[in-house]
Amino acid sequence: MSEHKHENYAENYISIDEAAQYLGIKPVTLRNWIKKTDIPARKIGKQWKFKRSELDEWVNSGRANFE
């Protein structure tokens, strides 16, 4: 995948429900993680949005192992 195409893909935001499903957790758990961890999330309007690539980085970095 070219660098440009990868950047465009990485810019696609997913909802909290989609992110929770992607991570294999419940949305309520993800909401708690937003409050208690450094999970990469952005609030756009009233909704939390995520990038899959940033979630992957966060999990792979080991920072997701807080429990």
Side-chain angles (χ1 to χ4, degrees):
M1 187 179 288
S2 76
E3 188 73 21
H4 182 68
K5 285 182 183 177
H6 180 69
E7 287 174 10
N8 286 341
Y9 172 75
E11 292 303 314
N12 293 329
Y13 287 96
I14 58 174
S15 70
I16 197 164
D17 290 332
E18 291 169 314
Q21 183 177 12
Y22 183 68
L23 294 170
I25 60 174
K26 294 182 180 183
V28 67
T29 301
L30 186 51
R31 285 185 183 90
N32 286 334
W33 286 5
I34 291 167
K35 294 175 191 171
K36 297 177 182 179
T37 72
D38 66 343
I39 191 166
R42 290 169 181 77
K43 195 158 194 182
I44 301 175
K46 294 182 178 184
Q47 298 182 352
W48 287 102
K49 296 292 183 176
F50 306 82
K51 290 183 183 180
R52 284 185 180 94
S53 61
E54 291 178 352
L55 291 173
D56 289 340
E57 260 182 56
W58 184 73
V59 169
N60 291 333
S61 74
R63 293 189 317 244
N65 296 325
F66 59 89
E67 294 185 69

Short mmCIF file of all heavy atoms in Angstrom, two decimals:
data_model
loop_
_atom_site.label_atom_id
_atom_site.label_comp_id
_atom_site.label_asym_id
_atom_site.label_seq_id
_atom_site.Cartn_x
_atom_site.Cartn_y
_atom_site.Cartn_z
N MET A 1 0.86 -1.17 0.00
CA MET A 1 0.00 0.00 0.00
C MET A 1 0.90 1.23 0.00
O MET A 1 1.83 1.32 0.78
CB MET A 1 -0.89 -0.02 1.24
CG MET A 1 -1.93 1.06 1.23
SD MET A 1 -3.02 1.02 2.69
CE MET A 1 -3.99 -0.42 2.35
N SER A 2 0.61 2.17 -0.86
CA SER A 2 1.44 3.37 -0.92
C SER A 2 1.24 4.21 0.34
O SER A 2 0.25 4.09 1.04
CB SER A 2 1.11 4.20 -2.16
OG SER A 2 -0.11 4.89 -1.95
N GLU A 3 2.22 5.07 0.61
CA GLU A 3 2.16 5.92 1.80
C GLU A 3 0.90 6.79 1.79
O GLU A 3 0.22 6.94 2.78
CB GLU A 3 3.42 6.80 1.84
CG GLU A 3 3.58 7.58 3.11
CD GLU A 3 3.98 6.73 4.29
OE1 GLU A 3 4.51 5.63 4.10
OE2 GLU A 3 3.74 7.17 5.41
N HIS A 4 0.56 7.34 0.62
CA HIS A 4 -0.59 8.22 0.50
C HIS A 4 -1.89 7.47 0.78
O HIS A 4 -2.74 7.95 1.52
CB HIS A 4 -0.62 8.86 -0.90
CG HIS A 4 -1.76 9.81 -1.09
ND1 HIS A 4 -1.84 11.01 -0.41
CD2 HIS A 4 -2.88 9.74 -1.85
CE1 HIS A 4 -2.95 11.64 -0.76
NE2 HIS A 4 -3.60 10.88 -1.63
N LYS A 5 -2.05 6.29 0.22
CA LYS A 5 -3.26 5.50 0.46
C LYS A 5 -3.36 5.10 1.93
O LYS A 5 -4.43 5.10 2.50
CB LYS A 5 -3.28 4.25 -0.43
CG LYS A 5 -3.60 4.55 -1.86
CD LYS A 5 -3.66 3.27 -2.66
CE LYS A 5 -3.91 3.56 -4.12
NZ LYS A 5 -3.90 2.36 -4.92
N HIS A 6 -2.23 4.77 2.54
CA HIS A 6 -2.24 4.40 3.95
C HIS A 6 -2.70 5.58 4.81
O HIS A 6 -3.48 5.40 5.74
CB HIS A 6 -0.86 3.92 4.39
CG HIS A 6 -0.79 3.52 5.83
ND1 HIS A 6 -1.42 2.40 6.30
CD2 HIS A 6 -0.22 4.10 6.89
CE1 HIS A 6 -1.23 2.31 7.59
NE2 HIS A 6 -0.50 3.33 7.99
N GLU A 7 -2.24 6.77 4.50
CA GLU A 7 -2.66 7.95 5.24
C GLU A 7 -4.16 8.17 5.12
O GLU A 7 -4.83 8.48 6.09
CB GLU A 7 -1.91 9.20 4.75
CG GLU A 7 -0.47 9.23 5.19
CD GLU A 7 0.29 10.40 4.59
OE1 GLU A 7 -0.33 11.28 3.98
OE2 GLU A 7 1.50 10.40 4.74
N ASN A 8 -4.70 8.00 3.93
CA ASN A 8 -6.14 8.18 3.73
C ASN A 8 -6.92 7.15 4.53
O ASN A 8 -7.93 7.46 5.14
CB ASN A 8 -6.52 8.08 2.25
CG ASN A 8 -6.11 9.31 1.48
OD1 ASN A 8 -5.88 10.37 2.05
ND2 ASN A 8 -6.00 9.17 0.18
N TYR A 9 -6.47 5.90 4.53
CA TYR A 9 -7.15 4.85 5.27
C TYR A 9 -7.12 5.18 6.77
O TYR A 9 -8.10 5.05 7.47
CB TYR A 9 -6.49 3.50 5.02
CG TYR A 9 -7.03 2.42 5.91
CD1 TYR A 9 -8.28 1.85 5.67
CD2 TYR A 9 -6.32 1.97 7.00
CE1 TYR A 9 -8.79 0.87 6.51
CE2 TYR A 9 -6.81 0.99 7.84
CZ TYR A 9 -8.04 0.45 7.58
OH TYR A 9 -8.55 -0.51 8.42
N ALA A 10 -5.96 5.62 7.24
CA ALA A 10 -5.81 5.90 8.67
C ALA A 10 -6.67 7.06 9.12
O ALA A 10 -6.96 7.20 10.29
CB ALA A 10 -4.34 6.18 8.99
N GLU A 11 -7.10 7.90 8.21
CA GLU A 11 -7.91 9.06 8.57
C GLU A 11 -9.38 8.70 8.78
O GLU A 11 -10.15 9.53 9.22
CB GLU A 11 -7.80 10.14 7.50
CG GLU A 11 -6.42 10.77 7.43
CD GLU A 11 -5.97 11.39 8.75
OE1 GLU A 11 -6.77 12.10 9.38
OE2 GLU A 11 -4.82 11.16 9.14
N ASN A 12 -9.78 7.48 8.45
CA ASN A 12 -11.17 7.08 8.62
C ASN A 12 -11.47 6.81 10.08
O ASN A 12 -10.86 5.94 10.70
CB ASN A 12 -11.49 5.82 7.80
CG ASN A 12 -11.41 6.08 6.32
OD1 ASN A 12 -11.69 7.18 5.86
ND2 ASN A 12 -11.03 5.07 5.57
N TYR A 13 -12.38 7.58 10.64
CA TYR A 13 -12.74 7.42 12.05
C TYR A 13 -13.87 6.42 12.20
O TYR A 13 -14.74 6.31 11.33
CB TYR A 13 -13.19 8.76 12.63
CG TYR A 13 -12.05 9.72 12.84
CD1 TYR A 13 -11.74 10.68 11.90
CD2 TYR A 13 -11.26 9.64 13.99
CE1 TYR A 13 -10.69 11.56 12.10
CE2 TYR A 13 -10.21 10.51 14.19
CZ TYR A 13 -9.93 11.46 13.25
OH TYR A 13 -8.89 12.32 13.44
N ILE A 14 -13.85 5.69 13.31
CA ILE A 14 -14.93 4.76 13.62
C ILE A 14 -15.58 5.20 14.94
O ILE A 14 -14.97 5.90 15.74
CB ILE A 14 -14.43 3.30 13.70
CG1 ILE A 14 -13.33 3.14 14.76
CG2 ILE A 14 -13.95 2.83 12.34
CD1 ILE A 14 -12.89 1.69 15.00
N SER A 15 -16.80 4.77 15.13
CA SER A 15 -17.58 5.16 16.32
C SER A 15 -17.13 4.34 17.53
O SER A 15 -16.39 3.36 17.42
CB SER A 15 -19.06 4.90 16.07
OG SER A 15 -19.31 3.49 16.03
N ILE A 16 -17.65 4.71 18.68
CA ILE A 16 -17.33 3.98 19.92
C ILE A 16 -17.83 2.55 19.84
O ILE A 16 -17.15 1.62 20.29
CB ILE A 16 -17.86 4.73 21.16
CG1 ILE A 16 -17.17 4.22 22.42
CG2 ILE A 16 -19.36 4.66 21.26
CD1 ILE A 16 -17.31 5.10 23.63
N ASP A 17 -18.99 2.33 19.24
CA ASP A 17 -19.51 0.96 19.10
C ASP A 17 -18.62 0.13 18.17
O ASP A 17 -18.33 -1.03 18.46
CB ASP A 17 -20.95 0.98 18.58
CG ASP A 17 -21.93 1.52 19.61
OD1 ASP A 17 -21.67 1.39 20.83
OD2 ASP A 17 -22.96 2.07 19.20
N GLU A 18 -18.20 0.74 17.05
CA GLU A 18 -17.32 0.02 16.12
C GLU A 18 -15.96 -0.25 16.75
O GLU A 18 -15.40 -1.33 16.56
CB GLU A 18 -17.14 0.85 14.84
CG GLU A 18 -18.40 0.96 14.00
CD GLU A 18 -18.27 1.98 12.89
OE1 GLU A 18 -17.80 3.10 13.15
OE2 GLU A 18 -18.66 1.64 11.75
N ALA A 19 -15.43 0.71 17.50
CA ALA A 19 -14.14 0.54 18.15
C ALA A 19 -14.22 -0.57 19.21
O ALA A 19 -13.30 -1.38 19.33
CB ALA A 19 -13.68 1.85 18.78
N ALA A 20 -15.30 -0.58 19.96
CA ALA A 20 -15.47 -1.62 20.98
C ALA A 20 -15.52 -3.00 20.31
O ALA A 20 -14.87 -3.94 20.78
CB ALA A 20 -16.73 -1.36 21.80
N GLN A 21 -16.27 -3.11 19.25
CA GLN A 21 -16.36 -4.38 18.52
C GLN A 21 -14.99 -4.76 17.97
O GLN A 21 -14.57 -5.92 18.06
CB GLN A 21 -17.39 -4.27 17.39
CG GLN A 21 -17.58 -5.57 16.64
CD GLN A 21 -18.65 -5.48 15.58
OE1 GLN A 21 -19.12 -4.42 15.24
NE2 GLN A 21 -19.02 -6.61 15.04
N TYR A 22 -14.27 -3.80 17.41
CA TYR A 22 -12.94 -4.03 16.86
C TYR A 22 -11.98 -4.57 17.93
O TYR A 22 -11.18 -5.46 17.66
CB TYR A 22 -12.42 -2.72 16.27
CG TYR A 22 -11.08 -2.82 15.59
CD1 TYR A 22 -10.93 -3.52 14.40
CD2 TYR A 22 -9.96 -2.19 16.12
CE1 TYR A 22 -9.70 -3.60 13.77
CE2 TYR A 22 -8.73 -2.27 15.50
CZ TYR A 22 -8.60 -2.98 14.32
OH TYR A 22 -7.39 -3.05 13.70
N LEU A 23 -12.11 -4.04 19.15
CA LEU A 23 -11.25 -4.47 20.26
C LEU A 23 -11.78 -5.70 20.99
O LEU A 23 -11.10 -6.25 21.84
CB LEU A 23 -11.08 -3.32 21.26
CG LEU A 23 -10.31 -2.10 20.74
CD1 LEU A 23 -10.42 -0.95 21.73
CD2 LEU A 23 -8.86 -2.46 20.47
N GLY A 24 -13.01 -6.10 20.68
CA GLY A 24 -13.61 -7.27 21.32
C GLY A 24 -14.07 -7.02 22.74
O GLY A 24 -14.01 -7.91 23.59
N ILE A 25 -14.52 -5.78 22.99
CA ILE A 25 -15.01 -5.41 24.31
C ILE A 25 -16.38 -4.76 24.18
O ILE A 25 -16.85 -4.50 23.07
CB ILE A 25 -14.03 -4.44 25.02
CG1 ILE A 25 -13.86 -3.15 24.20
CG2 ILE A 25 -12.70 -5.13 25.29
CD1 ILE A 25 -13.03 -2.08 24.88
N LYS A 26 -17.00 -4.46 25.32
CA LYS A 26 -18.30 -3.79 25.30
C LYS A 26 -18.08 -2.27 25.26
O LYS A 26 -17.09 -1.77 25.81
CB LYS A 26 -19.10 -4.16 26.55
CG LYS A 26 -19.49 -5.62 26.55
CD LYS A 26 -20.31 -5.95 27.76
CE LYS A 26 -20.68 -7.44 27.71
NZ LYS A 26 -21.54 -7.82 28.81
N PRO A 27 -19.01 -1.53 24.65
CA PRO A 27 -18.89 -0.06 24.61
C PRO A 27 -18.74 0.56 25.98
O PRO A 27 -17.99 1.53 26.14
CB PRO A 27 -20.18 0.39 23.92
CG PRO A 27 -20.56 -0.77 23.05
CD PRO A 27 -20.16 -1.99 23.85
N VAL A 28 -19.40 0.02 27.01
CA VAL A 28 -19.28 0.58 28.36
C VAL A 28 -17.84 0.45 28.87
O VAL A 28 -17.32 1.34 29.54
CB VAL A 28 -20.30 -0.04 29.34
CG1 VAL A 28 -20.01 -1.50 29.60
CG2 VAL A 28 -20.37 0.75 30.62
N THR A 29 -17.18 -0.64 28.54
CA THR A 29 -15.77 -0.83 28.92
C THR A 29 -14.90 0.20 28.22
O THR A 29 -14.02 0.81 28.85
CB THR A 29 -15.31 -2.25 28.56
OG1 THR A 29 -16.13 -3.19 29.24
CG2 THR A 29 -13.85 -2.47 28.92
N LEU A 30 -15.16 0.43 26.95
CA LEU A 30 -14.39 1.41 26.20
C LEU A 30 -14.59 2.82 26.77
O LEU A 30 -13.63 3.58 26.89
CB LEU A 30 -14.76 1.37 24.72
CG LEU A 30 -13.93 2.23 23.78
CD1 LEU A 30 -12.44 2.00 23.96
CD2 LEU A 30 -14.34 1.98 22.34
N ARG A 31 -15.80 3.14 27.16
CA ARG A 31 -16.05 4.45 27.79
C ARG A 31 -15.24 4.59 29.09
O ARG A 31 -14.70 5.66 29.38
CB ARG A 31 -17.54 4.64 28.06
CG ARG A 31 -18.32 4.96 26.81
CD ARG A 31 -19.79 5.27 27.12
NE ARG A 31 -20.52 5.50 25.90
CZ ARG A 31 -21.14 4.54 25.21
NH1 ARG A 31 -21.12 3.29 25.65
NH2 ARG A 31 -21.77 4.84 24.10
N ASN A 32 -15.17 3.52 29.86
CA ASN A 32 -14.36 3.55 31.09
C ASN A 32 -12.88 3.72 30.76
O ASN A 32 -12.17 4.44 31.46
CB ASN A 32 -14.57 2.27 31.90
CG ASN A 32 -15.91 2.25 32.60
OD1 ASN A 32 -16.48 3.30 32.90
ND2 ASN A 32 -16.44 1.06 32.82
N TRP A 33 -12.40 3.06 29.71
CA TRP A 33 -11.00 3.19 29.31
C TRP A 33 -10.69 4.63 28.90
O TRP A 33 -9.60 5.13 29.17
CB TRP A 33 -10.68 2.25 28.17
CG TRP A 33 -10.58 0.80 28.56
CD1 TRP A 33 -10.83 0.26 29.79
CD2 TRP A 33 -10.21 -0.28 27.72
NE1 TRP A 33 -10.64 -1.10 29.76
CE2 TRP A 33 -10.27 -1.46 28.50
CE3 TRP A 33 -9.88 -0.38 26.39
CZ2 TRP A 33 -9.96 -2.72 27.98
CZ3 TRP A 33 -9.56 -1.63 25.87
CH2 TRP A 33 -9.61 -2.78 26.66
N ILE A 34 -11.64 5.29 28.25
CA ILE A 34 -11.43 6.69 27.84
C ILE A 34 -11.16 7.55 29.09
O ILE A 34 -10.29 8.41 29.07
CB ILE A 34 -12.64 7.23 27.05
CG1 ILE A 34 -12.73 6.55 25.69
CG2 ILE A 34 -12.55 8.74 26.88
CD1 ILE A 34 -14.06 6.79 24.97
N LYS A 35 -11.90 7.27 30.15
CA LYS A 35 -11.74 8.04 31.39
C LYS A 35 -10.45 7.70 32.14
O LYS A 35 -9.87 8.56 32.80
CB LYS A 35 -12.93 7.78 32.33
CG LYS A 35 -14.25 8.29 31.81
CD LYS A 35 -15.36 7.86 32.75
CE LYS A 35 -16.72 8.11 32.13
NZ LYS A 35 -17.80 7.53 32.92
N LYS A 36 -10.02 6.43 32.07
CA LYS A 36 -8.97 5.95 32.95
C LYS A 36 -7.62 5.69 32.28
O LYS A 36 -6.65 5.42 32.98
CB LYS A 36 -9.43 4.64 33.62
CG LYS A 36 -10.65 4.82 34.50
CD LYS A 36 -11.09 3.50 35.08
CE LYS A 36 -12.34 3.69 35.92
NZ LYS A 36 -12.83 2.44 36.47
N THR A 37 -7.56 5.72 30.95
CA THR A 37 -6.32 5.38 30.26
C THR A 37 -5.98 6.45 29.22
O THR A 37 -6.72 7.42 29.04
CB THR A 37 -6.43 4.02 29.54
OG1 THR A 37 -7.29 4.16 28.40
CG2 THR A 37 -6.95 2.93 30.46
N ASP A 38 -4.90 6.21 28.52
CA ASP A 38 -4.48 7.11 27.45
C ASP A 38 -4.89 6.58 26.07
O ASP A 38 -4.23 6.86 25.08
CB ASP A 38 -2.96 7.34 27.51
CG ASP A 38 -2.17 6.09 27.21
OD1 ASP A 38 -2.73 4.97 27.28
OD2 ASP A 38 -0.96 6.21 26.92
N ILE A 39 -5.98 5.83 26.02
CA ILE A 39 -6.44 5.29 24.74
C ILE A 39 -6.64 6.45 23.75
O ILE A 39 -7.18 7.49 24.11
CB ILE A 39 -7.73 4.45 24.91
CG1 ILE A 39 -8.03 3.69 23.62
CG2 ILE A 39 -8.92 5.30 25.34
CD1 ILE A 39 -9.08 2.59 23.78
N PRO A 40 -6.17 6.28 22.52
CA PRO A 40 -6.28 7.36 21.55
C PRO A 40 -7.72 7.54 21.06
O PRO A 40 -8.23 6.74 20.30
CB PRO A 40 -5.36 6.93 20.41
CG PRO A 40 -5.26 5.44 20.53
CD PRO A 40 -5.44 5.13 21.99
N ALA A 41 -8.37 8.56 21.56
CA ALA A 41 -9.76 8.86 21.20
C ALA A 41 -9.90 10.36 21.02
O ALA A 41 -9.21 11.14 21.67
CB ALA A 41 -10.70 8.38 22.30
N ARG A 42 -10.80 10.73 20.14
CA ARG A 42 -11.08 12.15 19.91
C ARG A 42 -12.57 12.38 20.05
O ARG A 42 -13.36 11.61 19.55
CB ARG A 42 -10.66 12.55 18.50
CG ARG A 42 -9.16 12.56 18.31
CD ARG A 42 -8.83 12.69 16.83
NE ARG A 42 -7.41 12.69 16.60
CZ ARG A 42 -6.64 11.61 16.61
NH1 ARG A 42 -7.16 10.43 16.87
NH2 ARG A 42 -5.35 11.71 16.38
N LYS A 43 -12.91 13.45 20.71
CA LYS A 43 -14.32 13.81 20.83
C LYS A 43 -14.63 14.78 19.70
O LYS A 43 -14.05 15.86 19.61
CB LYS A 43 -14.62 14.43 22.19
CG LYS A 43 -16.09 14.46 22.47
CD LYS A 43 -16.36 14.56 23.95
CE LYS A 43 -17.83 14.24 24.19
NZ LYS A 43 -18.17 14.35 25.59
N ILE A 44 -15.52 14.36 18.84
CA ILE A 44 -15.95 15.18 17.71
C ILE A 44 -17.42 15.48 17.94
O ILE A 44 -18.26 14.58 17.88
CB ILE A 44 -15.71 14.47 16.37
CG1 ILE A 44 -14.22 14.14 16.22
CG2 ILE A 44 -16.22 15.31 15.21
CD1 ILE A 44 -13.85 13.34 15.01
N GLY A 45 -17.70 16.73 18.28
CA GLY A 45 -19.06 17.07 18.71
C GLY A 45 -19.32 16.39 20.04
O GLY A 45 -18.56 16.55 20.99
N LYS A 46 -20.37 15.59 20.09
CA LYS A 46 -20.70 14.87 21.32
C LYS A 46 -20.28 13.40 21.26
O LYS A 46 -20.56 12.65 22.18
CB LYS A 46 -22.20 14.95 21.58
CG LYS A 46 -22.67 16.36 21.89
CD LYS A 46 -24.15 16.38 22.19
CE LYS A 46 -24.59 17.78 22.54
NZ LYS A 46 -26.00 17.83 22.92
N GLN A 47 -19.64 13.00 20.17
CA GLN A 47 -19.31 11.59 19.98
C GLN A 47 -17.82 11.34 20.02
O GLN A 47 -17.02 12.14 19.53
CB GLN A 47 -19.86 11.11 18.64
CG GLN A 47 -21.36 11.20 18.55
CD GLN A 47 -21.88 10.66 17.23
OE1 GLN A 47 -21.11 10.36 16.32
NE2 GLN A 47 -23.18 10.55 17.11
N TRP A 48 -17.43 10.20 20.61
CA TRP A 48 -16.04 9.76 20.60
C TRP A 48 -15.76 9.05 19.28
O TRP A 48 -16.58 8.26 18.82
CB TRP A 48 -15.78 8.83 21.77
CG TRP A 48 -15.72 9.53 23.08
CD1 TRP A 48 -16.71 9.58 24.02
CD2 TRP A 48 -14.64 10.31 23.58
NE1 TRP A 48 -16.30 10.34 25.09
CE2 TRP A 48 -15.03 10.80 24.84
CE3 TRP A 48 -13.37 10.64 23.10
CZ2 TRP A 48 -14.20 11.60 25.62
CZ3 TRP A 48 -12.54 11.43 23.87
CH2 TRP A 48 -12.96 11.90 25.12
N LYS A 49 -14.60 9.33 18.71
CA LYS A 49 -14.19 8.71 17.45
C LYS A 49 -12.79 8.16 17.61
O LYS A 49 -11.97 8.67 18.39
CB LYS A 49 -14.21 9.73 16.30
CG LYS A 49 -15.60 10.27 15.99
CD LYS A 49 -16.48 9.20 15.41
CE LYS A 49 -17.85 9.76 15.04
NZ LYS A 49 -18.68 8.77 14.39
N PHE A 50 -12.48 7.13 16.85
CA PHE A 50 -11.22 6.41 16.94
C PHE A 50 -10.69 6.10 15.54
O PHE A 50 -11.47 5.97 14.60
CB PHE A 50 -11.42 5.07 17.66
CG PHE A 50 -12.07 5.21 19.01
CD1 PHE A 50 -13.45 5.32 19.12
CD2 PHE A 50 -11.31 5.23 20.15
CE1 PHE A 50 -14.06 5.45 20.36
CE2 PHE A 50 -11.91 5.36 21.40
CZ PHE A 50 -13.28 5.48 21.50
N LYS A 51 -9.37 5.93 15.45
CA LYS A 51 -8.74 5.43 14.24
C LYS A 51 -8.25 4.02 14.54
O LYS A 51 -7.60 3.79 15.57
CB LYS A 51 -7.55 6.30 13.84
CG LYS A 51 -7.92 7.66 13.34
CD LYS A 51 -6.66 8.39 12.92
CE LYS A 51 -6.98 9.79 12.48
NZ LYS A 51 -5.75 10.51 12.07
N ARG A 52 -8.57 3.07 13.66
CA ARG A 52 -8.13 1.69 13.88
C ARG A 52 -6.61 1.60 14.03
O ARG A 52 -6.10 0.88 14.88
CB ARG A 52 -8.59 0.79 12.73
CG ARG A 52 -10.05 0.45 12.78
CD ARG A 52 -10.42 -0.54 11.67
NE ARG A 52 -11.81 -0.87 11.72
CZ ARG A 52 -12.76 -0.25 11.02
NH1 ARG A 52 -12.44 0.73 10.20
NH2 ARG A 52 -14.02 -0.61 11.13
N SER A 53 -5.89 2.36 13.19
CA SER A 53 -4.42 2.29 13.23
C SER A 53 -3.89 2.75 14.58
O SER A 53 -2.93 2.18 15.11
CB SER A 53 -3.82 3.13 12.10
OG SER A 53 -4.17 4.49 12.25
N GLU A 54 -4.50 3.77 15.18
CA GLU A 54 -4.07 4.25 16.49
C GLU A 54 -4.43 3.25 17.59
O GLU A 54 -3.67 3.07 18.54
CB GLU A 54 -4.66 5.62 16.79
CG GLU A 54 -4.09 6.70 15.91
CD GLU A 54 -4.69 8.07 16.17
OE1 GLU A 54 -5.68 8.20 16.93
OE2 GLU A 54 -4.17 9.03 15.58
N LEU A 55 -5.59 2.61 17.46
CA LEU A 55 -5.96 1.57 18.43
C LEU A 55 -4.97 0.42 18.36
O LEU A 55 -4.54 -0.10 19.40
CB LEU A 55 -7.39 1.08 18.18
CG LEU A 55 -8.50 2.08 18.47
CD1 LEU A 55 -9.84 1.52 18.01
CD2 LEU A 55 -8.54 2.46 19.94
N ASP A 56 -4.61 0.01 17.14
CA ASP A 56 -3.63 -1.07 16.97
C ASP A 56 -2.30 -0.70 17.63
O ASP A 56 -1.72 -1.51 18.35
CB ASP A 56 -3.39 -1.36 15.49
CG ASP A 56 -4.57 -2.04 14.82
OD1 ASP A 56 -5.41 -2.64 15.53
OD2 ASP A 56 -4.64 -1.97 13.58
N GLU A 57 -1.83 0.52 17.40
CA GLU A 57 -0.58 0.99 18.00
C GLU A 57 -0.66 0.96 19.52
O GLU A 57 0.28 0.53 20.19
CB GLU A 57 -0.31 2.44 17.57
CG GLU A 57 0.68 2.60 16.47
CD GLU A 57 0.90 4.07 16.16
OE1 GLU A 57 1.25 4.85 17.07
OE2 GLU A 57 0.70 4.44 14.99
N TRP A 58 -1.78 1.43 20.05
CA TRP A 58 -1.98 1.49 21.50
C TRP A 58 -1.93 0.09 22.11
O TRP A 58 -1.26 -0.13 23.11
CB TRP A 58 -3.29 2.19 21.79
CG TRP A 58 -3.59 2.42 23.23
CD1 TRP A 58 -3.00 3.32 24.05
CD2 TRP A 58 -4.57 1.75 24.03
NE1 TRP A 58 -3.55 3.26 25.32
CE2 TRP A 58 -4.52 2.30 25.32
CE3 TRP A 58 -5.49 0.74 23.77
CZ2 TRP A 58 -5.35 1.87 26.35
CZ3 TRP A 58 -6.31 0.31 24.80
CH2 TRP A 58 -6.25 0.87 26.07
N VAL A 59 -2.63 -0.85 21.49
CA VAL A 59 -2.64 -2.22 22.00
C VAL A 59 -1.25 -2.83 21.87
O VAL A 59 -0.73 -3.43 22.83
CB VAL A 59 -3.68 -3.08 21.23
CG1 VAL A 59 -3.52 -4.55 21.56
CG2 VAL A 59 -5.10 -2.61 21.57
N ASN A 60 -0.61 -2.68 20.73
CA ASN A 60 0.71 -3.28 20.49
C ASN A 60 1.80 -2.68 21.38
O ASN A 60 2.80 -3.34 21.65
CB ASN A 60 1.10 -3.16 19.02
CG ASN A 60 0.23 -4.03 18.14
OD1 ASN A 60 -0.29 -5.06 18.58
ND2 ASN A 60 0.04 -3.63 16.90
N SER A 61 1.60 -1.46 21.84
CA SER A 61 2.61 -0.80 22.69
C SER A 61 2.61 -1.37 24.11
O SER A 61 3.52 -1.10 24.88
CB SER A 61 2.34 0.70 22.76
OG SER A 61 1.20 0.96 23.59
N GLY A 62 1.56 -2.11 24.45
CA GLY A 62 1.44 -2.64 25.80
C GLY A 62 0.72 -1.72 26.76
O GLY A 62 0.49 -2.07 27.90
N ARG A 63 0.38 -0.51 26.31
CA ARG A 63 -0.29 0.45 27.19
C ARG A 63 -1.72 0.01 27.52
O ARG A 63 -2.33 0.51 28.45
CB ARG A 63 -0.30 1.83 26.57
CG ARG A 63 1.09 2.42 26.46
CD ARG A 63 1.09 3.87 26.05
NE ARG A 63 0.16 4.18 25.00
CZ ARG A 63 0.50 4.63 23.79
NH1 ARG A 63 1.75 4.82 23.47
NH2 ARG A 63 -0.43 4.92 22.90
N ALA A 64 -2.24 -0.96 26.76
CA ALA A 64 -3.60 -1.46 27.01
C ALA A 64 -3.64 -2.42 28.20
O ALA A 64 -4.71 -2.76 28.68
CB ALA A 64 -4.15 -2.15 25.77
N ASN A 65 -2.49 -2.85 28.68
CA ASN A 65 -2.42 -3.80 29.80
C ASN A 65 -2.42 -3.08 31.13
O ASN A 65 -1.43 -3.05 31.84
CB ASN A 65 -1.16 -4.67 29.67
CG ASN A 65 -1.20 -5.53 28.43
OD1 ASN A 65 -2.26 -5.99 28.03
ND2 ASN A 65 -0.06 -5.73 27.82
N PHE A 66 -3.54 -2.50 31.48
CA PHE A 66 -3.62 -1.72 32.72
C PHE A 66 -4.44 -2.41 33.79
O PHE A 66 -4.48 -1.96 34.92
CB PHE A 66 -4.22 -0.33 32.44
CG PHE A 66 -5.59 -0.39 31.85
CD1 PHE A 66 -6.70 -0.42 32.66
CD2 PHE A 66 -5.76 -0.42 30.48
CE1 PHE A 66 -7.98 -0.48 32.12
CE2 PHE A 66 -7.04 -0.50 29.93
CZ PHE A 66 -8.14 -0.53 30.74
N GLU A 67 -5.16 -3.46 33.43
CA GLU A 67 -6.02 -4.12 34.41
C GLU A 67 -5.23 -5.03 35.33
O GLU A 67 -4.24 -5.55 35.02
CB GLU A 67 -7.12 -4.90 33.69
CG GLU A 67 -8.04 -3.97 32.94
CD GLU A 67 -9.20 -4.68 32.32
OE1 GLU A 67 -10.06 -5.15 33.10
OE2 GLU A 67 -9.26 -4.79 31.12
#
